[in-house]
Amino acid sequence: MLEFQVEDMTCGHCVSTITKAIKGADANASVEVDLAKHLVRVEGSAGGEEIADAIREAGYTPVPSK
Ligand SMILES: [Cu+2]
C-alpha cells in the first residue's frame, strides 16, 4: 500500500480530482482518502513515483508517508 500526505488537498473537489488522477495512472487502483488528515492511500499495481506524478500533474503536492 502507498500512502501520501497531501496538505493542499482541502475539500471534496480536491478529493475527486486526486482520485481521478490516480485512477488515470492505475485504472484498477483502490483509493482511500482521509480528508481531515490530508492522507491518500492507494492500493494498486502502480509504483509510488507514478502515483506521486499523477497527483502532482493534478496540481497537488504529495509527500510519501510510507
Ligand atoms: Cu478542494
Side-chain angles (χ1 to χ4, degrees):
M1 191 194 55
L2 303 166
E3 191 172 276
F4 301 92
Q5 192 78 34
V6 187
E7 284 302 329
D8 45 8
M9 174 180 70
T10 52
C11 73
H13 176 75
C14 302
V15 172
S16 77
T17 303
I18 289 170
T19 302
K20 251 182 241 161
I22 292 169
K23 291 194 184 266
D26 181 357
N28 298 318
S30 92
V31 182
E32 197 184 295
V33 175
D34 185 332
L35 185 54
K37 292 180 180 163
H38 305 279
L39 277 178
V40 178
R41 293 192 187 91
V42 183
E43 190 79 70
S45 52
E49 251 331 287
E50 203 177 329
I51 297 298
D53 280 346
I55 297 172
R56 262 183 235 116
E57 275 163 26
Y60 297 91
T61 312
V63 177
S65 59
K66 254 179 202 166

